[in-house]
Amino acid sequence: MPLPVVQFCVIGSFFLVLYKALISLLRRPNGIDLDGPNGGVIKLFEGGMDYCVNLSEQYGGAVRLNGPYGDTVYVSDPRALHHIVVKDQHIFEELEDFIVSNKLVFGEGLISTAGEQHRRQRKLISPVFSTSNMRRVLSTVHHIADRLASTLTAKLPTDGSHNEIDVLPWLSRCALDSICNGVLGYSSNSLSAAEDDAYAEAVRSVGFLIGKFCLLRPFMVIVTHYCSPYWARKVLDLITAPWIPTKFMRDIREMRRIIETMDCVSRKVFAEKKATMEADMLCRDGDSILSMMDIMLKANTASSNVTRLTDAELLGQMNVMIFAGVDTTTSAIARCVYLLAQHPCVQARLRSEISDAMKSSRYQEDGDIPSSELPYDVLMSLPFLDGIVKETFRLYPSLPLMVRTATKATTLPLHFPVRSRSGESTSTITIPKGTQVIISILAANRHQGMWGADANEWRPERWLSSLLAVPPDMDTPVGREDVTSTPRSTPVLGVKDGVHFPSVYSNMMTFLAGSRSCIGFKFAEMQMKQVLATLVLRLHFSLPTQRNAQGHVKEIQWKFKGFHIPVVKTPAGDGVTPQVPLNVRLVRTDDFAW
């Protein structure tokens, strides 16, 4: 086809997008009767995590913000959130450009579908992440966590002194190996490789690039709506042509290369798995270790023709599980290791608890290095480890904000009244059709009315028991609180007067609720606990102490960019490159005393 014709198609598509954007702006919902700041939605990312939390503390559980498509409602009220994600979830849908862009990148997975197709997929996949299947996969995760600990140990001096190690890339490799082996049954071997292979590089890069090109989502919607697959491919070929020299276009070409790399490997693995199933080679003993993909393929084969997923849908699930698991799990484990380095008493107490569990469960090896391969039920029921994981998930959710759009006019009830524009108190909000609603998981998980006055503090002890001691002195270091003196009955965490946030996990919104809640949260929790148990039993972590040539010590800062991105603050670092440098050394006997 002549190049001018292709250019004409692209230019036409551009003006069509512009036309649709102008129509949206003219029809945008305004006049929502809520109080709010002068700043718009963009301020949520410019102001960072503190701004997002303070916004709800200052204005309440529903705040009006200026958005690109009219007034936007920022929500952290428990009753309003219950309506958004559970009761009226059919009204508050994912944004169309979110669904379309995910489908283009990942295929027809759970985050790329809606309506009946989404319900059918979820019905088949939910049992895959059952507790019994988690027990099967735990040994795979333990083996990879043990390799991570051995890899870090090999980088330490033999005299027992510490070495500064950037743990972030190693935690990322561990997350990728765990999910590839446990979910796909594909051996990525990232921890063993000297350099990332093409697939590992693609998986770790795709999340960053998707966020970078979010402004292209409306263009993707228009192209998919008004162009056939043939013409859509031609448009893509043109905008990724190598003769367009701008950096933005080079980044788009890189994005396309990464997506094609992921798709190629996923198709290869899927074809191998399907061929094995068809050859009836997966008829193994029920206690044999199977990947999530093996279990899902077996369940799909056994389902009826009405509920059975197509090959395209199964392939989409593979891509979604990998993408959704690697970045979020890496961020959560990195944050937890950083917090343990920040709180040595908590780290010692956790190490002691795991060591005691080993001895009582008789899972101690004969050699000098103990094994952290605890049985599933023992690992998941360790109270202090459970408190550390829950408190980290609560305070630092991997996805702090999510967006929905109202498909029709409705009202949202509130549990805690807020102020209207005129300053009057109100307990209901009128939501016009087309209004975008931001679900603030971050603010909900730190809501002082639901979690207490210390909701913004990282205190794993709050989860230890329903019978807690009298509140400790605020000067007591974290990890040293005495939970044995003067016990008293306390309410269930996250519940106030019978009201709680919609949740699938411990009354917090980290994994959301309803039909679009995180389907793999049990795997994420198990993986995080196993990695932490393995690391702290063999290694001690502390904050960096070494000064650079200018006398500056590295200070880690977590930037708020949709995900939490750890960087080293200037002037000791560049403030851009993701990294978590920590002092690491082998564990000593006194590291168990807290």
Side-chain angles (χ1 to χ4, degrees):
M1 183 180 59
L3 186 60
V5 177
V6 179
Q7 290 176 327
F8 174 79
C9 293
V10 174
I11 293 172
S13 299
F14 171 77
F15 280 106
L16 188 58
V17 171
L18 184 61
Y19 167 75
K20 290 288 184 179
L22 289 173
I23 292 297
S24 297
L25 289 173
L26 292 173
R27 294 178 179 175
R28 64 184 185 176
N30 284 304
I32 294 177
D33 193 17
L34 276 175
D35 195 11
N38 293 327
V41 172
I42 192 68
K43 190 74 180 292
L44 295 174
F45 300 96
E46 293 176 347
M49 187 169 62
D50 290 341
Y51 178 82
C52 292
V53 175
N54 292 337
L55 196 62
S56 293
E57 292 178 353
Q58 181 178 354
Y59 292 96
V63 187
R64 175 182 50 82
L65 299 174
N66 299 319
Y69 301 104
D71 284 348
T72 299
V73 184
Y74 181 79
V75 182
S76 60
D77 182 89
R79 186 166 294 160
L81 288 171
H82 173 75
H83 279 257
I84 293 170
V85 302
V86 179
K87 187 174 182 180
D88 296 329
Q89 58 185 299
H90 61 287
I91 297 175
F92 295 93
E93 296 277 6
E94 295 273 14
L95 301 182
E96 184 183 18
D97 57 11
F98 176 83
I99 296 290
V100 169
S101 59
N102 285 339
K103 186 172 291 187
L104 290 174
V105 175
F106 305 112
E108 297 185 43
L110 276 173
I111 64 173
S112 314
T113 56
E116 182 57 35
Q117 184 183 17
H118 181 85
R119 285 189 287 273
R120 182 168 53 84
Q121 290 182 357
R122 194 175 181 93
K123 183 178 180 180
L124 177 83
I125 299 170
S126 290
V128 171
F129 289 93
S130 66
T131 301
S132 59
N133 288 335
M134 293 303 102
R135 285 193 177 94
R136 290 182 179 182
V137 178
L138 176 60
S139 59
T140 300
V141 176
H142 166 261
H143 175 68
I144 293 166
D146 199 55
R147 272 199 293 158
L148 169 65
S150 298
T151 300
L152 294 178
T153 300
K155 297 180 177 297
L156 301 178
T158 57
D159 60 0
S161 60
H162 71 256
N163 191 18
E164 185 181 292
I165 300 175
D166 179 10
V167 299
L168 186 63
W170 298 107
L171 294 176
S172 178
R173 290 184 177 209
C174 176
L176 179 61
D177 281 355
S178 296
I179 295 171
C180 280
N181 284 267
V183 175
L184 294 188
Y186 163 72
S187 298
S188 57
N189 291 322
S190 293
L191 283 169
S192 303
E195 296 181 356
D196 287 342
D197 61 15
Y199 184 69
E201 178 192 2
V203 169
R204 275 203 285 272
S205 303
V206 68
F208 171 76
L209 290 172
I210 286 175
K212 191 172 183 179
F213 297 121
C214 61
L215 295 177
L216 290 177
R217 286 178 177 176
F219 178 77
M220 296 177 184
V221 173
I222 297 299
V223 170
T224 54
H225 275 192
Y226 294 96
C227 297
S228 67
Y230 173 82
W231 286 107
R233 171 65 64 174
K234 289 297 181 183
V235 171
L236 181 63
D237 288 342
L238 180 66
I239 64 176
T240 57
W243 49 266
I244 303 178
T246 65
K247 183 180 186 303
F248 185 71
M249 289 303 175
R250 284 197 299 270
D251 289 342
I252 291 179
R253 288 195 293 273
E254 178 66 8
M255 176 73 172
R256 183 180 185 182
R257 183 191 67 79
I258 286 173
I259 292 172
E260 289 175 347
T261 299
M262 286 181 59
D263 185 65
C264 180
V265 175
S266 295
R267 287 180 183 276
K268 178 182 177 182
V269 173
F270 177 74
E272 292 173 354
K273 291 286 182 184
K274 188 178 179 183
T276 304
M277 284 291 297
E278 291 174 350
D280 201 26
M281 295 175 62
L282 281 178
C283 294
R284 293 176 281 191
D285 183 81
D287 293 329
S288 298
I289 299 172
L290 300 175
S291 69
M292 297 289 101
M293 196 64 199
D294 294 330
I295 298 168
M296 187 165 61
L297 282 171
K298 293 182 73 173
N300 193 56
T301 302
S303 63
S304 65
N305 291 332
V306 177
T307 59
R308 187 172 299 159
L309 304 187
T310 65
D311 286 356
E313 288 177 297
L314 290 169
L315 185 63
Q317 309 313 324
M318 290 175 58
N319 290 332
V320 167
M321 289 177 188
I322 293 295
F323 167 71
V326 172
D327 281 348
T328 55
T329 305
T330 300
S331 174
I333 298 177
R335 173 77 75 165
C336 207
V337 173
Y338 166 74
L339 288 167
L340 291 176
Q342 208 173 23
H343 300 281
C345 291
V346 174
Q347 185 179 167
R349 185 172 182 174
L350 174 61
R351 186 176 293 116
S352 177
E353 179 183 69
I354 296 168
S355 178
D356 290 344
M358 297 287 178
K359 295 171 184 176
S360 62
S361 298
R362 297 182 180 178
Y363 270 72
Q364 189 85 10
E365 286 187 352
D366 295 332
D368 294 330
I369 299 177
S371 168
S372 55
E373 190 173 2
L374 288 166
Y376 178 85
D377 292 330
V378 174
L379 175 71
M380 301 305 289
S381 62
L382 291 176
F384 199 56
L385 174 61
D386 187 63
I388 288 172
V389 170
K390 283 179 177 175
E391 188 72 342
T392 305
F393 278 145
R394 182 186 71 85
L395 270 185
Y396 307 104
S398 296
L399 293 173
L401 305 174
M402 305 191 82
V403 183
R404 297 289 188 269
T405 184
T407 58
K408 68 177 184 180
T410 186
T411 58
L412 277 179
L414 302 172
H415 180 68
F416 299 99
V418 296
R419 295 190 303 273
S420 65
R421 285 176 183 259
S422 63
E424 296 180 356
S425 178
T426 180
S427 294
T428 58
I429 317 167
T430 300
I431 304 292
K433 179 181 179 180
T435 302
Q436 290 191 2
V437 175
I438 298 176
I439 300 170
S440 181
I441 296 173
L442 184 67
N445 286 357
R446 293 168 174 248
H447 197 295
Q448 294 187 20
M450 301 294 290
W451 296 97
D454 62 349
N456 287 313
E457 298 178 33
W458 188 72
R459 302 186 75 86
E461 290 76 15
R462 76 174 78 238
W463 296 95
L464 282 181
S465 175
S466 59
L467 291 177
L468 297 178
V470 174
D473 189 330
M474 296 306 292
D475 293 330
T476 304
V478 175
R480 290 192 180 276
E481 291 88 341
D482 181 9
V483 296
T484 61
S485 61
T486 321
R488 60 177 177 82
S489 179
T490 59
V492 178
L493 286 174
V495 179
K496 183 77 170 180
D497 299 329
V499 176
H500 59 85
F501 288 103
S503 171
V504 294
Y505 181 74
S506 300
N507 295 321
M508 67 182 77
M509 288 203 65
T510 300
F511 299 105
L512 214 60
S515 65
R516 302 201 78 91
S517 61
C518 175
I519 205 167
F521 75 92
K522 290 182 180 178
F523 183 86
E525 181 189 25
M526 177 190 71
Q527 180 185 359
M528 188 165 174
K529 287 184 175 182
Q530 182 61 70
V531 171
L532 290 176
T534 304
L535 290 180
V536 300
L537 203 59
R538 297 174 59 179
L539 301 170
H540 178 276
F541 300 92
S542 58
L543 298 179
T545 54
Q546 185 176 354
R547 297 181 180 276
N548 62 12
Q550 290 73 38
H552 301 294
V553 177
K554 293 179 181 178
E555 183 180 352
I556 300 169
Q557 175 188 20
W558 296 77
K559 288 193 170 182
F560 187 72
K561 299 291 184 182
F563 290 104
H564 298 284
I565 309 296
V567 299
V568 174
K569 291 176 63 175
T570 56
D574 60 11
V576 176
T577 305
Q579 54 184 309
V580 182
L582 295 175
N583 286 344
V584 185
R585 62 169 171 80
L586 294 175
V587 167
R588 302 168 186 160
T589 304
D590 57 353
D591 291 330
F592 291 83
W594 55 276

